Amino acid sequence: MDQAATDARHMQRALQLAALGRGLVEPNPMVGCVLAHGDRIVGEGWHHAYGGHHAEVNAIESAGAAARGATLYVTLEPCCHHGKTPPCTDAVLRSGVQRVVIAVEDPFPQVSGQGIQRLRSAGLQVDVGLLAAEALDLNAPFEQLIRQRRPWIIAKWAMTLDGKLATRSGQSQWISSPASREIVHQLRGRMDAILVGSGTAIADNPLLTARPAGPRTAARVVFDSQASLSTDSQLAQTANDFPTVIVTGPTADPSKVTALHNCGCEIIECVGETHQARLAEMLTEFGRRRWTNVLVEGGNRLLGLLWDMQTVNEVHAFVAPKIWGGADAPSPIGGLGIDSPESGATLHGLQQQIIDSDIYMSGRVTYANASEVSR
C-alpha cells in the first residue's frame, strides 16, 4: 500500500466534504473529516451549520466503533476550546483513533497549534501539512477575517464585449443572459452582504435579493455618503423584510437619514473625510460583525475605489457578445487606475465557461505591487 497516495486521496475527500458547508457555516470555516483503516473509509463528516457539530464529531459518530485504531483526516486543526460546541480534541481522544492527519493549523487564536499539541501530548501521531495549499484556498475568506479582521470582497459585473457596464444614457438592463443572472443569484445566496454604490442603487433601483433564496440572507448595503437613496426605492420599501444598511458620511442631510431609518434601514455613519477613508471604516465595521463574504455589484466608482485600495479578493465577470460603444459609457472599474501595464492586477485560479452566449470568468486577485498576494 502506498501510504502517501492513500493519505492524499482521503484528504482530498475531506476537502470535498468541507466544501458542502459553503454558505452554511460562516463565520466558521468549512471543515471536512474522513476516518479510514488503510484504503477503507469507515466514517465521514463535515461542518453542516454554524453552531452545529463540527466535522470531526460528525465523522466519529458516522464511524461508530470502527473509529478505534483508525486514521482521522481533517482539513483544519481540531479545536481545543469550548465555543458553541465542546472541544473536538476531546472527541478525537475518546474515539480511539491512533493517527491524525491535518491539512492546516487553525488561525483562530484560541486554537492556533494548541489542538495539535493537545493530541500529541496524549500520545497520538499527528501529521500536519497534507494538501495545505488546497485547504488554505478553501478557507481563504475565513483566514482573512481572522488575520486581517475584514471580509473577503468579491467583485461581480456584467459587461459588453467592448467593456461597457451601460449605454451612454446609463441603461444597463440586461447585458447578461438569464442563465448568467441565475448564477449571480446563487452567489448572492451565500453572501453575508451585497454592496452597491448610491449611483447604482438610484439608477437601477435593484432589489438585491437571492431568487430563489439561498442558505444565507445577505444584508443589502448601499454606500451612500449623502443619504440620497429614495424612500420610494425597492431597497427602502423592503427594508423591513430584508436587512438593509445605508452607509452615510458626516455631511448627509439629517432629514434624509431619518427618513431612511424610518423605512427600516439601519444607518452606519462613517466619519472619514474621503470616500476611501469611509470605505476603510465600513470594511472594519463589516469585520467587527464577522461578515465573511461580501459581494460588490457596482457601480464602477465604488469598484474603482475598492480596487485602488487593493481590497478586492475575487472577481466574477460575465462578458456578453454585445457592443455598445461610447466614450462616456462606463466600464466596470473606475478609480485612479494604474500607470503601467506591469503594475496591473491579474487573476489566478482562473475558471472560464460558456453560459448561453456569455463568457463567465472567475478567479482570485493577485496585485502586482502588493506586499502579499490575496489568496
Side-chain angles (χ1 to χ4, degrees), residues 226-261:
Q226 300 303 317
S228 55
L229 184 70
S230 170
T231 55
D232 292 327
S233 65
Q234 288 198 95
L235 289 167
Q237 288 296 305
T238 58
N240 289 315
D241 301 314
F242 303 98
T244 307
V245 179
I246 312 298
V247 180
T248 67
T251 60
D253 184 333
S255 64
K256 293 182 178 180
V257 171
T258 299
L260 289 168
H261 176 75

Side-chain angles (χ1 to χ4, degrees), residues 55-284:
E56 301 93 319
V57 172
N58 288 330
I60 290 166
E61 289 182 351
S62 169
R68 186 160 299 278
T71 296
L72 182 146
Y73 300 85
V74 64
T75 57
L76 189 70
E77 175 184 7
C79 66
C80 53
H81 67 292
H82 282 271
K84 289 187 175 293
T85 60
C88 288
T89 49
D90 290 357
V92 172
L93 293 173
R94 286 194 304 268
S95 73
V97 303
Q98 66 178 10
R99 176 176 174 238
V100 178
V101 182
I102 299 168
V104 290
E105 282 191 18
D106 189 338
F108 191 64
Q110 289 178 272
V111 185
S112 192
Q114 297 174 69
I116 294 168
Q117 184 57 45
R118 172 80 177 92
L119 296 174
R120 285 176 173 161
S121 296
L124 271 65
Q125 178 185 343
V126 181
D127 301 318
V128 183
L130 179 62
L131 301 188
E134 291 87 340
L136 286 169
D137 278 346
L138 179 70
N139 277 316
F142 168 75
E143 183 99 3
Q144 178 162 291
L145 182 64
I146 295 298
R147 296 194 185 280
Q148 300 184 32
R149 299 182 181 180
R150 66 174 178 83
W152 188 259
I153 301 298
I154 302 169
K156 165 264 161 183
W157 64 78
M159 67 182 184
T160 62
L161 191 60
D162 56 335
K164 303 301 182 182
L165 286 180
T167 66
R168 65 185 183 185
S169 64
Q171 298 179 56
S172 62
Q173 295 179 346
W174 294 100
I175 295 175
S176 58
S177 68
S180 293
R181 297 199 294 275
E182 285 182 15
I183 293 174
V184 174
H185 283 285
Q186 292 169 14
L187 276 173
R188 288 177 177 179
R190 63 177 180 85
M191 295 293 118
D192 291 298
I194 300 166
L195 173 65
V196 296
S198 58
T200 296
I202 292 168
D204 294 350
N205 191 24
L207 193 56
L208 298 181
T209 57
R211 303 183 293 277
R216 307 186 80 76
T217 299
R220 306 169 307 169
V221 183
V222 183
F223 187 70
D224 187 5
S225 294
Q226 300 303 317
S228 55
L229 184 70
S230 170
T231 55
D232 292 327
S233 65
Q234 288 198 95
L235 289 167
Q237 288 296 305
T238 58
N240 289 315
D241 301 314
F242 303 98
T244 307
V245 179
I246 312 298
V247 180
T248 67
T251 60
D253 184 333
S255 64
K256 293 182 178 180
V257 171
T258 299
L260 289 168
H261 176 75
N262 289 342
C263 285
C265 299
E266 179 186 357
I267 307 298
I268 298 176
E269 182 182 350
C270 293
V271 299
E273 294 184 359
T274 66
H275 285 304
Q276 280 200 358
R278 291 192 289 276
L279 276 172
E281 287 181 57
M282 180 189 70
L283 294 179
T284 298

Side-chain angles (χ1 to χ4, degrees), residues 310 343 365-374:
Q310 297 191 346
S343 59
V365 181
T366 300
Y367 293 98
N369 59 346
S371 58
E372 62 179 38
V373 171
S374 296

